[in-house]
Amino acid sequence: MEDFRWTYLQLCKEGGVEPQESVVAQLQESRAAHSSRLDLSGHSLSTDTCSVLARAFQKDAVFTEVSLSDCMLTEEGTKMILAGLFHNTSVKCLDLKGNNLRSTGAEVLGKLLGCNKTLHRLVLEWNALGVWEESFSLFCDGLASNITLTHLDLRNNQINHHGASELALALRRNSTLQELDLRWNNIGLLGGRSLLEALQKNKSVVQLEMAGNNIPSDILKALEQSTGHNSEREFTLRESRNKTHVLSREIQSLKEEKGRQFLSLMETIDRQREEMGRSTKSTSAQIGQLQQALNERKSAINSLTAKLQMTEAALALSEQKGQSMGEVLSRMKAEKEEQKEQQSRLRKKQEEESSLREGKLHREIQNLMETNGQLRNKVEELECRCKSQQQQIFELKQELTNSTAELKMRLTKAEDRLESEKRRSKQTLEDMESLRHKEVENVSRHLEESERALQERIFKLEAQRIQLEEELGKTKAAVVTERAQAEEELGKVRTQMRLEEQEHVSSLEEKLRSLRASMQQLQLHCSQQKQSISELQAKSSHQSVEMDGLRRRIEELQQDLSGKEQEKVAEVSRVRVELLEQIGQLEADRAAQEGLKVKIGALEREMKVLTNNHREVLLDKESEKSSLLEKLRLKEVEIQRMKEDEAQRASYLQSAILSYVQGSPLGHYSSPNK
């Protein structure tokens, strides 16, 4: 409102026109009441004010109803205001009552009706539009081309039968006008007939006021009947439109609902497919990880087998060293036998010289033989122990080979099972849900933990094995050093024996010269030999103690090896149990997938049932729609038949009236006037 007022004042200022106080006051009242109606009725508007209002109406988008009744508008002012409303898009109701509009006003009104696309109601009561026939015909041409006007008030406009015929021609072409008020004009009989003929073709006029027009009652009744038929037709059309609209809305709502249901089902199916794709990807990744873990375990087993082969080679080397030691011992035995023979020959030579010396030498030899026998027994015991150790090592090798073979067989079986389960899982993973992902994550975590534990245990076992190998190497080195020391001691004993024999021979040669000196030397030599024998005995006892310690150490190592073997067996059994648990979980997952397949099949069946029901409902609705359309068609046929009957009756009535009028004196009077 304020914008229109400001526009009006601004245009007045630009045009140098004094704003009319009554118009400004009315605009102020409309702004205060927040009304969309501009009521200037009863106010005398000057030509300048009309020009300013016309320019303001061109820019107006506020007022929907404008009342200019009884404003005493001049022809120029009327022309200006109506020209300003040509392209207005907000005014829907225009009241020009009592402004004495004449030819110019009728022409401009015709142009307004031809240009304006928003005007619905036009009030032209108490004007003189029908006085000038040419101007009124232009008005009727504009009305014929109008497509928005629904209510037209033409009361008291001095319209005669010529104007009524022009108006009838406009009504033939117009299809939107619903209410027409022609009361208190001078239409007459001929105008009524022309309007009646026009209403035979016009189907939109549902209300026609014709009082005070000197029209016979039968024509008025015919006009009322035609408008009644139009109103009934409009009512039935409106009802049919409403019904069709309701049915179309229901069908559309059903279609939308079914479309939403279908879309929701498709979305759920897509989500399930995406989840199954993600689960398949995760399971394939986990299977790849399991395959990598198996490959790593295979490589670890291969490394263990290589290490076992290395240990076997080391054991073969130790066996070769033992054989070489046996050969050394055999050589020592042969040398001892040679020494015995030499000593026996020396005894035979010395028996002749001195029985005492021979007895002493015999006792010394016997003592040496005893010591040699003890040493031989110790060597045999050592050989037996070595053989038993070799036998235990061989058994351990066999057990290791058996365990590795069993592990390989189990690994191959596990790989076969994994491959079969992989194929099965690839076939069934297409229907898995999000639970599968969680379970697979738990399984993967469990497998990773078990793999880490196995790797840690493998590392510990390898460290223990390395320690054992180091201890075995140390013990072997100690045995070799001890054997070397024993050999050195034996060499020393041999050298000492040889030296003693040489000294003894020299002493015997000297004793040949002097018995006493030789006897003293022999006594001294015997005492020295006794000391050396006691030293040898002490050394042999020390070596026996050391051999006992080594034997205990070997037993401890064997016990450790047996414990490690038991741990390995327990670990293998635990891994077997874990694999069985995993297989059980995979079978449970397969059962869950089968359950999901069953659920999806049930959902698909339900979807099919819903689609069938929807189709049946649509078919029912279409049959109802077709039946309604058939009823409408029958109604229209009946209405057409009634219209034809009414037209026939009207033609009969018209012919009767014409015959009556021609036969009556009124016909004689009317014919000269024509």
Side-chain angles (χ1 to χ4, degrees):
M1 314 300 178
E2 187 65 26
D3 293 338
F4 188 85
R5 180 174 173 275
W6 182 82
T7 303
Y8 173 73
L9 295 173
Q10 188 70 23
L11 291 172
C12 288
K13 186 177 180 180
E14 290 176 358
V17 178
E18 185 70 24
Q20 195 168 341
E21 293 181 358
S22 60
V23 176
V24 174
Q26 191 63 36
L27 290 173
Q28 188 69 27
E29 289 178 2
S30 298
R31 185 176 69 83
H34 298 286
S35 175
S36 62
R37 185 173 185 271
L38 179 61
D39 189 2
L40 296 176
S41 59
H43 298 287
S44 180
L45 301 178
S46 64
T47 305
D48 296 333
T49 302
C50 289
S51 66
V52 173
L53 286 173
R55 293 168 64 190
F57 282 137
Q58 290 178 358
K59 302 177 182 179
D60 176 43
V62 176
F63 293 111
T64 59
E65 185 176 354
V66 178
S67 178
L68 299 174
S69 62
D70 300 324
C71 289
M72 299 300 291
L73 297 175
T74 62
E75 290 186 357
E76 189 68 26
T78 303
K79 185 176 180 180
M80 290 179 181
I81 288 175
L82 294 176
L85 291 171
F86 279 176
H87 300 289
N88 185 279
T89 58
S90 62
V91 177
K92 296 181 179 179
C93 180
L94 179 61
D95 189 356
L96 294 173
K97 175 184 175 183
N99 282 293
N100 197 20
L101 300 179
R102 295 178 181 273
S103 61
T104 305
E107 292 176 1
V108 178
L109 282 170
K111 293 179 181 179
L112 174 67
L113 292 174
C115 296
N116 191 281
K117 304 297 181 184
T118 57
L119 193 63
H120 292 169
R121 181 182 176 87
L122 181 60
V123 179
L124 299 173
E125 185 182 359
W126 287 103
N127 287 290
L129 299 176
V131 176
W132 287 270
E133 295 178 359
E134 294 180 357
S135 300
F136 191 71
S137 65
L138 294 174
F139 171 78
C140 291
D141 291 336
L143 178 63
S145 62
N146 187 272
I147 57 172
T148 57
L149 192 68
T150 59
H151 182 83
L152 179 61
D153 190 352
L154 293 174
R155 288 178 290 176
N156 292 306
N157 270 278
Q158 300 180 19
I159 301 171
N160 55 15
H161 63 279
H162 293 289
S165 62
E166 294 291 335
L167 193 61
L169 292 173
L171 290 175
R172 288 172 184 270
R173 294 164 57 191
N174 188 282
S175 61
T176 57
L177 188 66
Q178 296 179 357
E179 297 180 8
L180 178 61
D181 196 346
L182 295 173
R183 288 179 291 178
W184 309 110
N185 285 293
N186 193 18
I187 293 173
L189 176 63
L190 297 176
R193 288 177 182 174
S194 60
L195 288 173
L196 183 61
E197 291 175 357
L199 288 176
Q200 297 296 326
K201 295 183 178 180
N202 186 284
K203 306 298 181 183
S204 62
V205 178
V206 296
Q207 186 176 356
L208 179 63
E209 299 292 338
M210 298 293 292
N213 280 287
N214 296 322
I215 298 173
S217 60
D218 54 354
I219 294 176
L220 289 175
K221 287 180 181 179
L223 290 170
E224 288 178 359
Q225 287 177 357
S226 62
T227 53
H229 289 317
N230 287 338
S231 63
E232 288 177 359
R233 181 177 178 277
E234 187 67 24
F235 179 73
T236 53
L237 286 172
R238 193 180 296 111
E239 284 185 350
S240 64
R241 285 172 186 169
N242 292 329
K243 288 180 180 179
T244 54
H245 184 64
V246 170
L247 288 171
S248 63
R249 279 190 299 179
E250 289 180 356
I251 291 166
Q252 188 67 27
S253 63
L254 287 171
K255 287 181 179 178
E256 289 176 356
E257 185 177 359
K258 296 300 180 182
R260 286 194 296 272
Q261 290 178 359
F262 182 73
L263 289 173
S264 63
L265 285 172
M266 291 300 292
E267 287 176 357
T268 53
I269 290 166
D270 291 334
R271 285 198 296 272
Q272 289 177 358
R273 285 179 180 174
E274 289 176 358
E275 290 175 357
M276 286 189 286
R278 288 195 294 270
S279 62
T280 51
K281 289 180 181 177
S282 62
T283 49
S284 62
Q286 289 174 0
I287 288 164
Q289 292 177 0
L290 290 171
Q291 191 68 30
Q292 289 179 359
L294 286 171
N295 292 327
E296 289 176 357
R297 288 182 181 176
K298 283 181 180 178
S299 62
I301 289 165
N302 292 325
S303 63
L304 288 172
T305 53
K307 289 177 181 179
L308 285 171
Q309 290 175 359
M310 292 172 69
T311 52
E312 287 176 356
L315 287 170
L317 290 172
S318 63
E319 288 176 357
Q320 290 177 0
K321 288 180 181 179
Q323 290 177 0
S324 64
M325 290 294 291
E327 292 176 355
V328 170
L329 288 172
S330 63
R331 285 197 300 272
M332 288 174 69
K333 289 178 180 179
E335 290 176 355
K336 285 179 181 179
E337 289 177 354
E338 290 177 356
Q339 288 177 3
K340 286 179 182 179
E341 290 176 356
Q342 290 176 2
Q343 287 176 3
S344 63
R345 287 193 298 270
L346 290 171
R347 284 193 201 104
K348 288 178 181 179
K349 290 179 181 179
Q350 289 176 1
E351 282 178 358
E352 295 175 355
E353 294 176 354
S354 176
S355 60
L356 294 173
R357 184 167 172 4
E358 286 178 0
K360 288 178 181 179
L361 289 172
H362 186 69
R363 285 193 297 272
E364 289 175 359
I365 289 165
Q366 286 179 355
N367 292 323
L368 288 171
M369 289 292 289
E370 289 177 357
T371 54
N372 287 324
Q374 291 177 359
L375 289 171
R376 190 180 292 110
N377 292 324
K378 289 179 180 179
V379 169
E380 289 177 354
E381 289 178 357
L382 287 171
E383 288 177 352
C384 292
R385 289 175 183 174
C386 288
K387 288 180 180 179
S388 63
Q389 288 178 359
Q390 289 175 358
Q391 186 67 27
Q392 290 176 357
I393 289 165
F394 182 72
E395 291 176 356
L396 287 172
K397 285 180 183 179
Q398 288 181 350
E399 289 178 357
L400 284 171
T401 52
N402 293 325
S403 62
T404 52
E406 288 180 358
L407 286 172
K408 286 180 180 178
M409 290 293 290
R410 290 171 185 172
L411 283 170
T412 53
K413 289 179 180 178
E415 287 176 355
D416 294 333
R417 289 178 183 175
L418 282 171
E419 288 177 356
S420 62
E421 290 295 329
K422 187 176 179 181
R423 289 192 294 271
R424 291 176 185 173
S425 62
K426 282 182 180 178
Q427 291 176 359
T428 56
L429 280 172
E430 294 178 353
D431 304 321
M432 286 178 67
E433 288 182 342
S434 59
L435 294 174
R436 172 62 182 159
H437 183 63
K438 294 180 181 179
E439 291 176 357
V440 169
E441 287 180 356
N442 293 324
V443 170
S444 63
R445 286 197 296 272
H446 186 66
L447 285 171
E448 287 175 358
E449 291 175 358
S450 63
E451 284 176 1
R452 285 196 293 272
L454 285 171
Q455 287 178 359
E456 290 176 357
R457 289 180 180 176
I458 287 165
F459 291 151
K460 288 179 181 179
L461 288 170
E462 286 180 355
Q464 290 176 1
R465 186 181 57 75
I466 290 164
Q467 290 178 0
L468 290 171
E469 287 178 354
E470 289 176 354
E471 289 177 358
L472 284 170
K474 289 178 182 179
T475 53
K476 287 177 181 179
V479 168
V480 170
T481 52
E482 288 175 357
R483 286 179 180 177
Q485 289 177 1
E487 287 176 356
E488 288 177 357
E489 290 175 355
L490 287 170
K492 288 178 181 179
V493 169
R494 287 174 183 174
T495 54
Q496 287 177 2
M497 289 293 290
R498 287 174 183 175
L499 291 171
E500 288 174 356
E501 287 177 355
Q502 290 176 1
E503 289 175 357
H504 187 65
V505 169
S506 62
S507 65
L508 286 172
E509 289 176 354
E510 289 176 356
K511 283 179 181 180
L512 290 171
R513 297 187 187 101
S514 74
L515 291 171
R516 289 180 181 178
S518 64
M519 289 293 290
Q520 290 177 357
Q521 288 177 0
L522 286 170
Q523 287 176 358
L524 291 171
H525 185 67
C526 288
S527 62
Q528 289 177 359
Q529 284 181 355
K530 286 179 181 180
Q531 289 176 0
S532 63
I533 287 165
S534 62
E535 289 175 358
L536 288 171
Q537 288 178 356
K539 287 180 180 180
S540 64
S541 63
H542 182 67
Q543 287 179 356
S544 64
V545 170
E546 288 180 352
M547 290 296 290
D548 292 331
L550 289 170
R551 185 171 59 253
R552 287 193 298 273
R553 181 63 180 168
I554 289 165
E555 290 176 356
E556 291 176 357
L557 290 172
Q558 289 176 355
Q559 290 177 0
D560 291 333
L561 284 171
S562 63
K564 295 295 173 55
E565 186 65 26
Q566 290 177 359
E567 289 179 357
K568 188 184 290 183
V569 171
E571 186 68 24
V572 169
S573 63
R574 191 179 65 77
V575 169
R576 186 187 299 163
V577 171
E578 289 177 355
L579 287 171
L580 291 173
E581 290 178 356
Q582 291 174 4
I583 289 164
Q585 289 178 358
L586 289 171
E587 289 178 353
D589 293 335
R590 186 176 62 189
Q593 289 171 3
E594 290 177 355
L596 287 171
K597 283 183 179 178
V598 173
K599 289 181 181 179
I600 289 167
L603 288 171
E604 289 178 352
R605 288 193 294 273
E606 290 178 359
M607 185 177 173
K608 288 180 180 178
V609 171
L610 289 172
T611 52
N612 292 325
N613 293 328
H614 178 60
R615 287 175 184 171
E616 290 176 357
V617 170
L618 286 174
L619 291 172
D620 294 335
K621 294 294 182 182
E622 287 178 356
S623 62
E624 290 178 1
K625 186 177 177 182
S626 62
S627 63
L628 288 171
L629 291 172
E630 185 66 24
K631 289 179 181 179
L632 282 172
R633 190 180 63 77
L634 294 172
K635 287 285 185 183
E636 287 179 354
V637 170
E638 187 176 358
I639 289 165
Q640 188 67 28
R641 186 178 57 76
M642 291 173 70
K643 285 180 180 178
E644 291 175 355
D645 294 338
E646 291 294 331
Q648 191 175 3
R649 288 176 186 175
S651 63
Y652 290 158
L653 182 62
Q654 186 178 1
S655 62
I657 290 167
L658 287 173
S659 62
Y660 176 73
V661 169
Q662 289 175 0
S664 65
L666 184 61
H668 296 289
Y669 290 125
S670 60
S671 59
N673 291 328
K674 292 180 181 179

